[in-house]
Amino acid sequence: MTDRHRRCCAALAGLALTAGMYGVVAAEEALTGARDPRPNIVFILADDLGFTDIAPFGSEVQTPTLSAFAETGVRFTNYHTAANCAPARAMLLTGVNNHLAGVPNIPEMLAPEQRRHAHYQGVLGDNVVTVATLLEDAGYHTYMAGKWHLGASPDKRPSRRGFSRTVALMDSGADNWEQRPYLPLYDRANWFADGEPTTLPEDFYSSRFLIDKTIEFIDSNLQDGKPFFAYVPFMAVHMPVQAPQAFTDRYQGVYDGGWDELRRARLQRAIALGIVPPQTALQWMESRGDWDALTADRRRYEAKRMAVYAGMIEAMDFHIGRLVDYLRAHGEYANTVFIFTSDNGSEGSGPANQEALSSRFGAAMMGYHVDYERLGLRGSYNTISPGFASAAASPLAFYKFYTGEGGMRVPLIIAGDPLPRHNTLTPAFAWATDITPTILSLTGTPLPGARYAGKPVQPITGRDLTPLLTGDRERVYAEQDAVGYELTGHAALFQGDYKLVLNRPPLGDGQWRLYNIVSDPGEVVDLAAQQPDRFQAMQLSYQRFQAENGVLPQPPGYSQMGQLLTNTVKARYADALRVLLVSLLVLLPFYVAYRMRRSAPR
């Protein structure tokens, strides 16, 4: 046996990574009243965070807590997720493909034709079991504080999906300073505590509040010796992008050189860190705009937008650090595994010119302003532009909602003292469904069978990543294993080092392309013509994925933003339109009679 294998075996024994060992140990601990030795799990999910938005992946943003995680764990440089939030969350929490789990898209963007199908509701199906349910049944305390967005009806709330204590936002997003919606789609920001509507405190700021509640939940049961699973899905850095002034001030002037300069600088840092290979090339997104063509005032404003974004990231990191300090102070840090990632890539749908009349009018209609001096503070509606979104994803192309790498490849760090490998990078492909089986493996919790709690459930298809954490294997997906994905007609299939991808307009051209995303993560060199056999074989694999996962075609003329607008109008004004229509029908006979009397001969 080699030294490496001895170390790995010792580490695995220390973690007791089999359900049988844990079952015996837990039973003994229950009799003696001592602490259950299974590790705590803290699963932290950022929202719309780009591939190089944190320091251990190449960012200029100061993220010392996440950098410390990188030093005590493994960074996954080839990890992929869904291209928007709810589908990613469904896969992360169940280990099942999002189409089979009932979440092919966020409900706000589903077309009526699609919602006629049971698996196209945009809420977590009853045919899947969450990792929280499995851990709770295995004796873990289970907590959640943050954005849920997997169903708001009583039976869909996180308090009914395995979490014993919760404070959760039901919507796709909300204000970070107060309880108000960020889209006219919602009447209010729908926050729930332990399954019931709740009111946010007056001094609310999202990142601080979510960590406060997480600490409160952990502290309430700390003395009973049971391990905990804490899921912390942050609102950072989803729009509206908002941050405390002190954090924004740290980045004033940092982005004065513009998005192209930042995109190049992040690429170079990512190369130096080993995040991407030295030969990585950049593909420039036309949607980013020309920084040099902007007026001095516009450049000043755009740099401030990005400074708020950076401040929001650092504020998130700061509050994660508070949780780490709490765990250290209470003797729990050494037995905690941290998982950090993002639900999807950077958001590129913010307006190019936030000061334009249309943007100001839209913000004002929601009761917001876009003033420079107060940008990011209470009452401010802020996003980053497509230009800085492309820098957030550097060196990748495309954004959230698209299947280019910029929409799907995000940071993943799995860290903690219980793990045998520290400050390590892995280029192995990993997928969103892998998080649940990895957590189950780390905690010695068996995977569910074909039935759970008296009903049939979809099998977990994700892979256990612990062999990558121990160094026992270089890959968990074999060369021939295929992983497919679809969102509103945008499509991707991963196999070995290759990716088959189709991005639709307005940013894509609707053509299938083939890339080696290990040597070419920027998706610059299309290999479809050079490798026609692989290209055709992967297209056939994608067709099998469609059939096996019930992927539906898009209705004619469908567009994501158009459907969002239509659904918003229906949700907000349907009742008023119905009242108007009924009124017109009631009044119509009187109007007809009136016209007939006026036209009758006298």
Side-chain angles (χ1 to χ4, degrees):
M1 181 181 287
T2 66
D3 288 342
R4 191 189 78 171
H5 281 96
R6 288 192 185 93
R7 290 194 300 272
C8 290
C9 289
L12 290 174
L15 277 172
L17 288 179
T18 66
M21 290 176 66
Y22 268 144
V24 173
V25 172
E28 292 175 350
E29 299 302 332
L31 291 174
T32 63
R35 191 199 187 285
D36 189 322
R38 292 178 292 179
N40 307 312
I41 305 292
V42 175
F43 178 21
I44 302 167
L45 186 66
D47 199 329
D48 296 354
L49 189 81
F51 183 58
T52 51
D53 266 339
I54 60 174
F57 278 73
S59 180
E60 71 294 336
V61 179
Q62 298 301 303
T63 54
T65 307
L66 297 177
S67 294
F69 285 173
E71 292 171 2
T72 59
V74 178
R75 279 171 285 172
F76 290 73
T77 62
N78 193 10
Y79 166 75
H80 292 77
T81 180
N84 68 342
C85 53
R89 291 158 200 266
M91 290 194 284
L92 291 166
L93 292 175
T94 69
V96 177
N97 176 270
N98 59 292
H99 282 81
L100 297 178
V103 194
N105 196 354
I106 60 175
E108 295 86 351
M109 288 184 172
L110 284 170
E113 301 95 318
Q114 297 170 323
R115 299 195 74 159
R116 298 190 188 113
H117 299 265
H119 67 301
Y120 265 69
Q121 300 306 301
V123 297
L124 198 62
D126 295 328
N127 61 337
V128 289
V129 56
T130 70
V131 65
T133 296
L134 297 170
L135 291 176
E136 185 179 39
D137 290 349
Y140 269 70
H141 292 299
T142 53
Y143 311 125
M144 178 198 160
K147 173 177 152 182
W148 177 243
H149 201 207
L150 288 172
S153 62
D155 61 320
K156 299 296 184 183
R157 294 169 194 164
S159 53
R160 297 287 293 274
R161 301 308 297 254
F163 292 97
S164 59
R165 295 298 312 279
T166 66
V167 59
L169 174 68
M170 298 294 108
D171 311 327
S172 64
D175 194 276
N176 294 281
W177 289 110
E178 51 192 319
Q179 192 161 355
R180 62 188 295 189
Y182 83 112
L183 285 176
L185 183 62
Y186 311 109
D187 291 319
R188 64 193 299 269
N190 293 293
W191 284 90
F192 285 72
D194 298 329
E196 298 297 328
T198 192
T199 301
L200 297 177
E202 286 296 320
D203 64 346
F204 173 76
Y205 177 69
S206 63
S207 294
R208 180 181 64 241
F209 174 75
L210 298 181
I211 292 300
D212 284 349
K213 298 303 291 187
T214 301
I215 291 173
E216 175 190 320
F217 294 160
I218 294 171
D219 199 64
S220 67
N221 293 308
L222 195 61
Q223 303 308 315
D224 68 5
K226 293 172 63 174
F228 64 81
F229 168 59
Y231 173 46
V232 191
F234 278 93
M235 296 165 68
V237 278
H238 192 283
M239 63 173 69
V241 175
Q242 299 164 319
Q245 190 66 54
F247 288 100
T248 297
D249 286 347
R250 303 183 204 276
Y251 298 95
Q252 288 283 39
V254 171
Y255 302 109
D256 290 354
W259 42 72
D260 288 355
E261 177 181 292
L262 180 62
R263 188 162 161 81
R264 292 189 188 95
R266 286 197 177 184
L267 168 61
Q268 293 307 312
R269 281 192 294 270
I271 291 172
L273 290 168
I275 302 298
V276 295
Q279 74 275 14
T280 298
L282 289 172
Q283 180 181 151
W284 297 97
M285 298 298 297
E286 292 183 5
S287 58
R288 77 189 192 282
D290 184 354
W291 177 264
D292 293 332
L294 302 181
T295 65
D297 284 345
R298 275 288 312 284
R299 289 197 294 268
R300 176 173 174 263
Y301 188 91
E302 295 302 318
K304 177 72 176 287
R305 292 171 76 179
M306 186 63 185
V308 177
Y309 181 86
M312 196 175 191
I313 295 171
E314 186 175 338
M316 175 183 67
D317 182 271
F318 171 81
H319 290 292
I320 296 170
R322 291 175 48 232
L323 175 59
V324 170
D325 290 343
Y326 167 84
L327 295 175
R328 287 187 188 276
H330 290 80
E332 294 293 328
Y333 175 82
N335 196 41
T336 300
V337 174
F338 298 89
I339 301 171
F340 175 86
T341 189
S342 178
D343 61 348
N344 48 251
S346 58
E347 170 68 86
S349 58
N353 182 3
Q354 194 166 265
E355 293 184 292
L357 181 61
S358 58
S359 297
R360 286 186 174 276
F361 178 76
M365 289 289 289
M366 290 288 294
Y368 284 101
H369 67 80
V370 294
D371 300 345
Y372 175 88
E373 293 298 338
R374 296 179 290 162
L375 208 58
L377 301 180
R378 184 184 292 261
S380 164
Y381 196 95
N382 181 49
T383 68
I384 56 172
S385 66
F388 276 120
S390 74
S394 180
L396 312 177
F398 289 93
Y399 319 108
K400 175 183 178 180
F401 298 122
Y402 291 88
T403 46
E405 289 290 276
M408 299 184 69
R409 190 190 292 215
V410 296
L412 170 63
I413 305 172
I414 303 179
D417 285 355
L419 301 180
R421 301 179 82 198
H422 291 181
N423 200 20
T424 302
L425 300 172
T426 175
F429 174 79
W431 179 236
T433 55
D434 302 339
I435 299 301
T436 280
T438 301
I439 292 172
L440 297 179
S441 178
L442 289 167
T443 59
T445 305
L447 273 66
R451 294 178 63 84
Y452 195 86
K455 62 184 178 183
V457 294
Q458 288 286 341
I460 289 176
T461 55
R463 304 293 174 87
D464 175 13
L465 300 177
T466 55
L468 302 176
L469 302 178
T470 62
D472 278 352
R473 292 171 60 186
E474 293 184 357
R475 293 175 180 255
V476 294
Y477 287 88
E479 290 283 349
Q480 69 273 15
D481 291 338
V483 174
Y485 175 71
E486 185 272 349
L487 175 69
T488 63
H490 305 280
L493 184 107
F494 302 90
Q495 192 169 34
D497 293 346
Y498 293 86
K499 177 184 175 186
L500 180 74
V501 62
L502 181 151
N503 285 291
R504 294 190 179 277
L507 297 186
D509 59 7
Q511 300 298 311
W512 285 104
R513 301 187 184 280
L514 177 67
Y515 299 103
N516 182 321
I517 56 170
V518 172
S519 61
D520 179 25
E523 295 176 301
V524 174
V525 181
D526 181 4
L527 301 173
Q530 298 178 35
Q531 301 186 34
D533 292 344
R534 183 187 300 277
F535 182 62
Q536 292 173 9
M538 290 181 70
Q539 285 186 314
L540 290 174
S541 293
Y542 180 77
Q543 291 169 13
R544 284 194 294 272
F545 159 77
Q546 283 183 302
E548 291 170 358
N549 291 273
V551 177
L552 298 177
Q554 297 308 302
Y558 176 90
S559 76
Q560 293 175 341
M561 295 306 166
Q563 192 63 58
L564 176 63
L565 178 62
T566 299
N567 290 346
T568 299
V569 170
K570 285 183 178 179
R572 295 288 292 180
Y573 307 114
D575 290 342
L577 290 173
R578 279 193 290 268
V579 170
L580 176 61
L581 180 60
V582 170
S583 300
L584 290 174
L585 290 174
V586 170
L587 293 173
L588 183 60
F590 296 97
Y591 176 73
V592 171
Y594 167 76
R595 295 293 298 175
M596 290 176 66
R597 284 198 302 270
R598 289 288 303 271
S599 61
R602 296 183 182 275

